[in-house]
Amino acid sequence: RADAPDYRSILSISDEAARAQALNEHLSTRSYVQGYSLSQADVDAFRQLSAPPADPQLFHVVRWFRHIEALLGSPCGKVQPCGLQASKGRRVQPQWSPPAGTQPCRLHLYNSLTRNKEVFIPQDGKKVTWYCCGPTVYDASHMGHARSYISFDILRRVLKDYFKFDVFYCMNITDIDDKIIRRARQNHLFQQYREKRPEAAQLLEDVRAALTPFLVKLNETTDADKKQMLERIQHAVQLATEPLEKAVQSRLTGEEVTSHVEALLEEAKDLLSDWLDSTLGRDVTDNSIFSELPKFWEGEFHRDMEALNVLPPDVLTRVSEYVPEIVDFVQKIVDNGYGYVSNGSVYFDTVKFASSEKHSYGKLVPEAVGDQKALQEGEGDLSISADRLSEKRSPNDFALWKASKPGEPSWPCPWGKGRPGWHIECSAMAGTLLGASMDIHGGGFDLRFPHHDNELAQSEAYFENDCWVRYFLHTGHLTIAGCKMSKSLKNFITIKDALKKHSARQLRLAFLMHSWKDTLDYSSNTMESALQYEKFLNEFFLNVKDILRAPVDVTGQFEKWGEEEAELNKNFYDKKTEIHKALCDNVDTRTVMEEMRALVSQCNLYMAARKAVRRRPSRALLENIALYLTHMLKIFGAIEEESSLGFPVGGPGTSLSLESTVMPYLQVLSEFREGVRKIAREQKVPEVLQLSDALRDDILPELGVRFEDHEGLPTVVKLVDRNTLLKEREEKRRVEEEKRKKKEEAARRKQEQEAAKLAKMKIPPSEMFLSETDKYSKFDENGLPTHDMEGKELSRGQAKKLKKLFEAQEKLHKEYLQMAQNGSFQ
């Protein structure tokens, strides 16, 4: 159109609606085709608009705007001038924004130094230095040891294999200690005494001599459990003494006397060992005597740990091998002004240390500082004599180095011959290997004071810092059926004894079902829960294995998912999230185990629903879930061997080969049996069905094989521990026997009731009350009572009630006569 305005006049219009109308009229005269080149005037006009007009009549402006927008992008301000795109005619990618995401969960550990859960931050990237207090090896390892070392093994595995920290784990063996010294001397002296084969009279005299200090000790003991144990020893010795005394008085000789001597030696071992040690202990000077005992028990400890599937430490330190380092460590503490020499011993000056501005004493249990009983227990039985205590400047001071007395092992040092104190050993060994500050220090809850508080003090005195340990982890106590474990209570359970009743996996599952930092009660209920949990998981793994063994082509491995699969998969990922949160929350394995149980329950419901409609469940989904659960159990150390899915079958090192080798043959046997059973049912041959049931119920369980028959579905084949199957069989037989007995009892009661009813029916109504002379004294012509036993006439109500009973019996008797007439019974 000739009268259409040009761009300059259009841009000068101030009213936006009028400007858009004018632009629409101008553009109506132009034609837009592909390849059209924009003029600068077009670009200038385009910049004036932020969006195309909403008025549908201005379609020329809308078309023009969209065309230029496709070439230039959105309109740009004058501050950021737009340039034409390199490639004209193409749409540009819209701006992309990253998702908001969620804050990642961080690992928190309960730190005894703060008594709170703290974010775990290693000092050096992903590397974690960890020192764990090991055992004092003078006796068999017990369930209290298992509590600490299984719990720390779980924590270590989770940090290393789940959170992917590079953990350097160091543990010590205490092989120089007051308990070891005394036990070694006692064993040595008692063995010598036994080898001399004392005569019966001499043995009796020595036992009486040993009883004198023993009874003094018994009378002075205030601890109820310890007193009970001593009383039990006294009673056992008394019972073993009497027959030997009688034999001596009767001048008996030979094997009978020898057997009585051996019996008394066995019962009086502890009694005589104490007595011999008190009289001859100072003469034991050979250091090898004090090394043989801990060497033996250390070996037993390592075997117990291996049996429990506890990973060995990366480095193991023994006190006896670090004596030179301990001497240097003590010397530097003295040089730094926090230790002093007294009568050949070296003590830590707690007053001097606590008064320093850069140090604090009693970081873990400040309220226990000054507890003399705890302090003396920490010093050891051989180190709390009056002369030892008088050497200290303060009662709270503790020994760094002990001057050796006669009958104790010794090593040369600047202060004379002596031996390390208990607390200093860990400081020196950990300091040598881990340096001035470690990430984690672990031990039992009862070691917090004085042992770990003293370790902290002397180490920080040595390094002149205030951060020797960053995170202190303490495992909870272990009780036995609610009571403290004690030999006096006869509830002292060694690891070897525990493993005779339950497997290492079952013990570990019990520990996993409790918090590592809380008290754990080792009882029949605790272990029954662990056994049921193991069985629950194992059945799930066996069912998944059976599903995965079903023949299917390659494409058949991936079935279309329905709502049930999508829901189960969502639950799977939800549970993984909850498990991760629980592990971040102080490695809360108790919650993890509950979440894993819930996940398996959801899988079981899904499989049962599929089975009910004769449809196979999703192989891939169930396999993913089973593999995840297997992976978590491996991280926790609950699966000891290589197993691709579920718990291993068979002995050590045989699980994979056994399953892969045997299962094809069992599948063939199962299919053959199904075919035979089908023919037997069709041909009605019950003997063959009985044989196939015997194969399932009696023969295969002996081989560790379970066949599960399901109506209308293939037989499920499972490899199960033989003992488990035999227990299941016995339990099944017990239940069947109970059912049989109940059925027989019900039949007997029914027969008795019928016999009683028949006997009652035989009685004519005229005779039913005549025998009750203890109730009635007179009867009418029909046999109905009229007077009670005291001769009083019955009331109308009583007579009416008896009349009803009479009529009911009359009806029963007529029924009996009718049955007799018809010959219904013999």
Side-chain angles (χ1 to χ4, degrees), residues 660-688:
S660 60
T661 303
V662 172
M663 196 54 71
Y665 298 97
L666 292 176
Q667 287 292 146
V668 170
L669 175 62
S670 172
E671 292 166 8
F672 176 77
R673 176 174 169 272
E674 283 187 43
V676 169
R677 290 175 71 215
K678 181 181 179 182
I679 295 172
R681 282 194 294 266
E682 292 171 352
Q683 300 297 325
K684 297 182 180 180
V685 187
E687 294 83 2
V688 174

Side-chain angles (χ1 to χ4, degrees), residues 155-173:
L155 289 173
R156 178 187 175 191
R157 288 171 182 267
V158 169
L159 263 65
K160 182 170 65 77
D161 298 331
Y162 186 85
F163 290 105
K164 304 302 179 183
F165 288 108
D166 185 7
V167 179
F168 179 65
Y169 191 82
C170 174
M171 189 179 78
N172 77 295
I173 292 290

Side-chain angles (χ1 to χ4, degrees), residues 194 201 216 300 411 414 540 650 660 662 683 726:
R194 191 163 200 161
V216 172
E300 291 297 297
W411 287 263
F540 168 71
S660 60
V662 172
Q683 300 297 325
L726 296 183

